Amino acid sequence: MTAKQAAQRPRGARTRAAQVLSALETLYPDARTELEFRTPFELLVATVLSAQATDVSVNAATPALFAAYPDAQAMSRAEPEDIEPLIRRIGLYRAKARHLAALARLLLERHGGEVPNDFDAVVALPGAGRKTANVVLSNAYGFPAIAVDTHVGRLSRRLALSTQTNPDKVEADLQALFPRKRWVFLHHALILHGRRVCTARKPDCPGCVMNPFCPKVGVA
């Protein structure tokens, strides 16, 4: 982090980060992704599907999807129109069906059908991005990463850990504040807290253990 970036950090952020981490470790000691998967390929597909959709809706659709297309080789033979009926209840399903068909073909052409353990290679896949790469690499391969979704971004601003709205900049702020070995846990625990307590519209501030040290800045 540069001196300029450090100067832009909210006052007391480092002390507050330690308090946040301690609270999250108490609340969610076994925090992990709620997407259901068995292989890196299934995780990649589920993560692509989860964009602007709930994990619940993705988990409801993927058993049938993976039964029909258990790996990249099988999915590479599918057309988007074949995939669409299996994911119809997920938001943006037509675009995601196109992404999945193209993604499977690229995995076969470039990586022998396997999901690469390489950040740039995952980002280059259709429908993937920085958040997708972080989720896949951290959960499938143990790569230290912080995936910033709407929950992580919202809580980072409310807890004054970051003032940024750009996910990449929020990620950089969190990486500077938290131990590298706790990055994967952190983003899973923040997501759980954002879903269960610090929700977007009606955060349960009175019932939140972070209330004593939460500055409650912003509601973004």
Side-chain angles (χ1 to χ4, degrees):
M1 173 173 283
T2 66
K4 181 179 179 181
Q5 289 172 318
Q8 293 174 339
R9 181 189 297 158
R11 180 175 297 179
R14 188 163 295 281
T15 298
R16 196 157 45 252
Q19 294 171 315
V20 168
L21 183 58
S22 178
L24 292 174
E25 288 174 336
T26 299
L27 289 170
Y28 314 107
D30 301 317
R32 56 181 294 277
T33 180
E34 293 190 318
L35 291 172
E36 297 172 358
F37 69 97
R38 295 166 298 183
T39 66
F41 174 74
E42 289 187 354
L43 177 59
L44 173 61
V45 169
T47 307
V48 170
L49 291 175
S50 71
Q52 300 184 52
T54 65
D55 288 358
V56 172
S57 68
V58 173
N59 290 338
T62 50
L65 179 66
F66 295 148
Y69 308 110
D71 52 34
Q73 185 171 8
M75 191 172 284
S76 71
R77 295 191 290 267
E79 296 298 328
E81 293 76 14
D82 301 321
I83 298 173
E84 285 180 10
L86 298 171
I87 62 171
R88 191 178 299 275
R89 294 186 180 182
I90 298 175
L92 306 175
Y93 73 92
R94 288 192 176 91
K96 291 175 181 177
R98 292 195 299 271
H99 289 152
L100 293 184
L103 174 154
R105 292 183 182 115
L106 278 183
L107 285 178
L108 209 61
E109 293 170 8
R110 297 180 181 178
H111 308 289
E114 300 298 322
V115 176
N117 183 6
D118 179 86
F119 183 87
D120 292 334
V122 176
V123 169
L125 296 170
R130 187 174 187 88
K131 189 195 84 169
T132 297
N134 281 335
V135 170
V136 172
L137 293 179
S138 63
N139 289 282
Y141 298 122
F143 186 85
I146 299 175
V148 178
D149 69 351
T150 56
H151 299 294
V152 174
R154 181 177 72 251
L155 267 66
S156 295
R157 290 183 289 273
R158 284 183 176 172
L159 291 164
L161 300 171
S162 175
T163 61
Q164 303 295 334
T165 56
N166 181 291
D168 294 355
K169 293 181 179 179
V170 173
E171 179 185 343
D173 285 343
L174 295 180
Q175 287 177 340
L177 290 171
F178 292 89
R180 184 181 179 88
K181 65 181 180 180
R182 301 304 284 154
W183 286 357
V184 177
F185 166 81
L186 176 72
H187 82 247
H188 289 318
L190 284 174
I191 288 170
L192 290 177
H193 200 63
R195 288 173 176 167
R196 299 176 183 179
V197 180
C198 194
T199 58
R201 294 185 180 180
K202 293 182 179 180
D204 181 17
C205 295
C208 181
V209 298
M210 300 190 203
N211 190 292
F213 56 84
C214 176
K216 305 178 186 64
V217 292
V219 293

